[in-house]
C-alpha cells in the first residue's frame, strides 16, 4: 500500500488536475505539480530513519501499527478533497505529506519486524517477499492508477482506504513484539538536523528543474543553491552529532560494517536508476509511443501502466527466488549480477527506435525487472543480517531512506539530464515544425525558445501542449487544416521523438554508469555475513573513547 501510493499518483496526475480544475502546465501551477508528485516521497525519505529508531526504542510493531492509522486517515482526507483550483491542490499536498508520515512508519519497521521473526536461514525468502511487495508496488501503482483514473480521480485515493482499515485491524490483532527493544532517550538534535538537511537538499533538487530567469533550469537560483548547500551542511552537522551523543538517532559506526555500508550505497544508486527508468518510460509511452499508435491522450495513463507490466512480472519472478537462494549462497553474486543486468538494459533501450516494436520493449523491460529483483531482495537481507538486533529498526530506516531518497533524487537528476539533452535540438525542431504548418515565423521562433521543461512535463502527463502554447487566436488564423494537424495526435509526438532520443542517450548512459558503480560496491560487500549478537558491540561513546 505504501509503495503503490508513491507511483499511483504519477500516472493519475492528468485526471487529478482535471478533477480539481487546475492546469498543471501554467507557470504558476508547476509547484503544485512538483509537490503533489514529490511530497510523499520526500517526507517518507526524511522520517523513515527517525521512525526506525523510535521502533528500536518503543517497539517496532507499535510504530508500524500507528503508521497504518496515519496512512489511512491521510487516504480518507485525500479522497474527500472539498476544494478546487489552487486550494484543492494545497489540500492534496498537505494530506500527501501526512500520508508520507504513515508510509515512513510502515517502511521503517516492516523489514525489522520480519528480521526479528525469522531465523537466519529463512530471512532471505521472507525479506524477498517483503521487497517484492515494496518495489513491485511502485510498478503496480502505475497500472492501478491508470485503471482508476479512468473511473474517477478520487478513486485513486479511496482505493487505499479499505486496505488501510483492514490492515490496521489485522496488524493490531496479529503482530506481537518479538524483537529487542533499547531503553534510550530520543536524540532531538540528530533528528532535527537530519530532517531539515535532507528536506532542504531534496527540495532544492526538485526546484532545480524549474526555469529560472532566462535559463531553462534553476540550478543557479540563489534559493536552490542555498537549499542544497545549507542542507548538505546540516547533514554534516548531523554526522558530527551522531558521533558524539550517547544515544544517537543512528549509530554511524554501523557504516564500518562492510556488508551494511556497501548494501546501503548500492541500494541508493539502484533506487536512483530505477526511479529514472520509471519516469523516462512513462514519458516515452504517454508522450510519444502511445499517441503515435492511435491511443487518445485521455487513455494513455491506463495503457502506459499496462504496457509496463513486463517490469513487474520480471520482478515478481526474480525477487522471491533470489531472496530464498541468498539464504544459502549469500547476496553478493545475485545483487551484482542484477545490477549489471540493469546496466545492460539501460543501454539496450538506446538501441531500439523511439517508435519501437513492442516485443523489443517488453523483452528489455522484463529483463530490467529481473535485474531489480535479483538485486533488491538479497541486498536488503544482507543489510539486515549485518547489524545487531537492537539496531534493526534504525538500519531498516536507513535502507528505506536510501530507497525513498533515491526515488526523489531520480526526478531532479534525470529530468535535468533530459532537459539538457532536449535543449540542443528541441527549440529548432519546434520552431521548424510550427513554421512548416503555417505559424508565423516570429511566433514559431518565440515558442521554440520556451523552456524545454514545459514540453517534458506535457509528455510526462500525456498532454499535447501545442494548443495552450499557440492559443485560440493563433490557431484560428492558420490556413486550411493546419490547426487540426498541430493539435492532433501525431504532430507533437513526432516532433518530440528526435530530441527525446537525444536526451535519452544522456539519461540512460548515466543510469548505466550508476548501476555499474553500484555493482562494484556490491562486489566489495564480501561473502555472506551475519552479525553475531552473542558478541557485545561497543556503544558509540565507548567506540569514540577507545579511538581517542
Amino acid at each position: 500500500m505504501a509503495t503503490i501510493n508513491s507511483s499511483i499518483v504519477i500516472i493519475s496526475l492528468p485526471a487529478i488536475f482535471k478533477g480539481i480544475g487546475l492546469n498543471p502546465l501554467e507557470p504558476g501551477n508547476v509547484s503544485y505539480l512538483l509537490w503533489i508528485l514529490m511530497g510523499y516521497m520526500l517526507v517518507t525519505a526524511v522520517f523513515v530513519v527517525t521512525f526506525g529508531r523510535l521502533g528500536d526504542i518503543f517497539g517496532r510493531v507499535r510504530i508500524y501499527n500507528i503508521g497504518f492509522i496515519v496512512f489511512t486517515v491521510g487516504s480518507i482526507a485525500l479522497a474527500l478533497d472539498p476544494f478546487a483550483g489552487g486550494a484543492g491542490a494545497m489540500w492534496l499536498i498537505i494530506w500527501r505529506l501526512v500520508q508520507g508520515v504513515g508510509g515512513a512508519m510502515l517502511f521503517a519497521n516492516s523489514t525489522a519486524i520480519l528480521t526479528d521473526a525469522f531465523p537466519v536461514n529463512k530471512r532471505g525468502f521472507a525479506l524477498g517477499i517483503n521487497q517484492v511487495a515494496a518495489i513491485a508496488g511502485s510498478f503496480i501503482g502505475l497500472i492501478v492508477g491508470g485503471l482508476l483514473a479512468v473511473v474517477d480521480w478520487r478513486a485513486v485515493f479511496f482505493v487505499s482506504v479499505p486496505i488501510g482499515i483492514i490492515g490496521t485491524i489485522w496488524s493490531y490483532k496479529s503482530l506481537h513484539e518479538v524483537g529487542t527493544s533499547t531503553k534510550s532517550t530520543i536524540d532531538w538534535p540528530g533528528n532535527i538536523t537530519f530532517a531539515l538537511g535532507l528536506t532542504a537538499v531534496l527540495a532544492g533538487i526538485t526546484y532545480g528543474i524549474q526555469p529560472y530567469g532566462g535559463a531553462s533550469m534553476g540550478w543557479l537560483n540563489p534559493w536552490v543553491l542555498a537549499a542544497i548547500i545549507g542542507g548538505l551542511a546540516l547533514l554534516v552537522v548531523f554526522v558530527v552529532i551522531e558521533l558524539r551523543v550517547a544515544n544517537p538517532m543512528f549509530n554511524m559506526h554501523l557504516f564500518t560494517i562492510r556488508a551494511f555500508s556497501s548494501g546501503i550505497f548500492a541500494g541508493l544508486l539502484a533506487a536512483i536508476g530505477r526511479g529514472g527508468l520509471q519516469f523516462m518510460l512513462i514519458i516515452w509511452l504517454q508522450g510519444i509511443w502511445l499517441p503515435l499508435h492511435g491511443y487518445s491522450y485521455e487513455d494513455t495513463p491506463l495503457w502506459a501502466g499496462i504496457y509496463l507490466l513486463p517490469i513487474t512480472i520480471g520482478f515478481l519472478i526474480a525477487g522471491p527466488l533470489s531472496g530464498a537462494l541468498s539464504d544459502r549462497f549469500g547476496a553478493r553474486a545475485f545483487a551484482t549480477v542484477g545490477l549489471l543486468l540493469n546496466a545492460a538494459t539501460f543501454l539496450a533501450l538506446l538501441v531500439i527506435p523511439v517508435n519501437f516494436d513492442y516485443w523489443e520493449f517488453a523483452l528489455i523491460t522484463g529483463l530490467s525487472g529481473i535485474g531489480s529483483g535479483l538485486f533488491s531482495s538479497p541486498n536488503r537481507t544482507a543489510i539486515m543480517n549485518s547489524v545487531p538486533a537492537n539496531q534493526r529498526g534504525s538500519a531498516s530506516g536507513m535502507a528505506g531512506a536510501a530507497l525513498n531518497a533515491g526515488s526523489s533524487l531520480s526526478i531532479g537528476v534525470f529530468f535535468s539530464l533530459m532537459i539538457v539533452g532536449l535543449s540542443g535540438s528541441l527549440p529548432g525542431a519546434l520552431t521548424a515544425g510550427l513554421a512548416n504548418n503555417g505559424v508565423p515565423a516570429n511566433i514559431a521562433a518565440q515558442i521554440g525558445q520556451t523552456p524545454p521543461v514545459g514540453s517534458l512535463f506535457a509528455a510526462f502527463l500525456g498532454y499535447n501542449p501545442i494548443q495552450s502554447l499557440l492559443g485560440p487566436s493563433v490557431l484560428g488564423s492558420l490556413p486550411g487544416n493546419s490547426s487540426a494537424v498541430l493539435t492532433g495526435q501525431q504532430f507533437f509526438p513526432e516532433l518530440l521523438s528526435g530530441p527525446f532520443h537525444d536526451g535519452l542517450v544522456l539519461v540512460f548512459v548515466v543510469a548505466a554508469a550508476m548501476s555499474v558503480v553500484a555493482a562494484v560496491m556490491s562486489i566489495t560487500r564480501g561473502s555472506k555475513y551475519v552479525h553475531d549478537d552473542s558478541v557485545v558491540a561497543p556503544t558509540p561513546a565507548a567506540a569514540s573513547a577507545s579511538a581517542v
Side-chain angles (χ1 to χ4, degrees), residues 189-209:
N191 278 277
I192 292 171
T193 52
F194 181 80
L196 292 178
L198 190 56
T199 298
V201 170
L202 294 179
I205 290 174
T206 300
Y207 279 101
I209 63 178

Side-chain angles (χ1 to χ4, degrees), residues 25 32 154 166 210 392 520:
L25 298 180
Y32 293 135
R154 294 181 188 273
I166 294 169
Q210 294 192 55
R392 285 172 183 163
V520 172

Side-chain angles (χ1 to χ4, degrees), residues 439-461:
V439 176
N442 62 324
I443 296 176
Q446 182 181 353
I447 293 174
Q449 295 306 311
T450 55
V453 67
S455 297
L456 187 61
F457 276 138
F460 175 62
L461 294 170

Side-chain angles (χ1 to χ4, degrees), residues 25 33-34 37 209-210 216-217 279-284 286-288 410-423 426 430 450-463 465 469 492 495-496 499-501 503-504 507:
L25 298 180
L33 169 65
L34 288 174
L37 183 64
I209 63 178
Q210 294 192 55
S216 59
M217 289 185 287
F279 288 115
M280 292 304 114
L281 294 185
I282 290 172
I283 293 171
W284 196 342
Q286 290 196 179
I288 300 174
S410 68
I411 295 179
V413 171
F414 289 110
F415 269 47
S416 296
L417 291 172
M418 177 56 73
I419 291 168
V420 170
L422 290 175
S423 297
L426 182 60
L430 186 56
T450 55
V453 67
S455 297
L456 187 61
F457 276 138
F460 175 62
L461 294 170
Y463 282 4
L469 285 173
F492 180 63
L495 180 137
L496 188 62
F500 177 76
H501 191 269
L504 210 60
V507 166

Side-chain angles (χ1 to χ4, degrees), residues 44-125:
T44 304
V46 166
F47 286 108
V48 71
V49 180
T50 295
F51 288 127
R53 182 56 180 159
L54 291 177
D56 286 335
I57 298 172
F58 298 109
R60 290 152 196 158
V61 170
R62 179 180 299 175
I63 302 298
Y64 183 84
N65 290 343
I66 295 171
F68 254 118
I69 296 173
V70 174
F71 195 99
T72 306
V73 170
S75 299
I76 294 171
L78 284 162
L80 299 177
D81 187 349
F83 303 111
M90 282 303 303
W91 177 278
L92 295 178
I93 290 168
I94 291 169
W95 286 103
R96 283 283 285 173
L97 298 179
V98 172
Q99 225 183 16
V101 172
M105 292 178 174
L106 297 170
F107 270 118
N109 291 284
S110 60
T111 52
I113 290 170
L114 289 174
T115 305
D116 291 337
F118 284 83
V120 171
N121 65 338
K122 294 183 179 179
R123 277 181 198 158
F125 181 74

